[in-house]
Amino acid sequence: MTDDLSLQSYIILHNTARKLHFLARIRSKSEGIPQELGRTLNAISHKNGRCTAKDFAAHLRITAPSATMKINNLLEEGLVKKRLVSQDHRSFFLEITEKGEKLRQQINRQNIEVGSRIFSSFSTQQKKTLSKCFRSLIGR
């Protein structure tokens, strides 16, 4: 019985993830904004100006080389800037630029709209419970 419930939960979660991914992909194509950009900017914003490349990679659960590529792209686009750590001039913090912050807020507003439509039939308590369960699943 427990195995059946685990399988059902997995299938539901998998199908939900696919649907969310599909909706995000449609939205990103229509808006011309890369799908991962909001998540990337939120990862940097999460640390309030004290995000290192290592923090960035850990938050996104990607390798250091992948993080370096993403950071370089963000720098080229003018969405983030580097600020050297005063004690160690080899290390730096990532900060979102004004341009990056405006884009991050725009993406988050769009995500809120999509989420509101998806979860419109859920009560506040159901949303809190679901959020708690998802955080538990991803270990955050």
Side-chain angles (χ1 to χ4, degrees), residues 6-87:
S6 293
L7 178 59
Q8 284 179 332
S9 297
Y10 172 80
I11 291 169
I12 291 167
L13 184 60
H14 180 74
N15 289 340
T16 302
R18 287 176 54 118
K19 184 169 186 168
L20 289 172
H21 182 75
F22 175 76
L23 290 171
R25 195 175 49 201
I26 288 172
R27 193 207 70 224
S28 69
K29 282 183 182 178
S30 69
E31 299 292 328
I33 300 170
Q35 189 175 344
E36 285 292 311
L37 190 54
R39 186 171 157 240
T40 301
L41 292 172
N42 283 328
I44 295 168
S45 177
H46 177 73
K47 297 291 276 186
N48 295 323
R50 300 196 55 86
C51 183
T52 64
K54 185 177 179 180
D55 295 333
F56 180 71
H59 188 83
L60 293 178
R61 297 180 181 197
I62 58 176
T63 64
S66 292
T68 299
M69 286 177 50
K70 282 186 179 285
I71 290 167
N72 288 339
N73 289 338
L74 293 169
L75 289 165
E76 287 175 22
E77 294 288 324
L79 301 175
V80 299
K81 61 185 176 181
K82 290 181 180 180
R83 181 173 48 87
L84 289 176
V85 176
S86 59
Q87 305 91 331

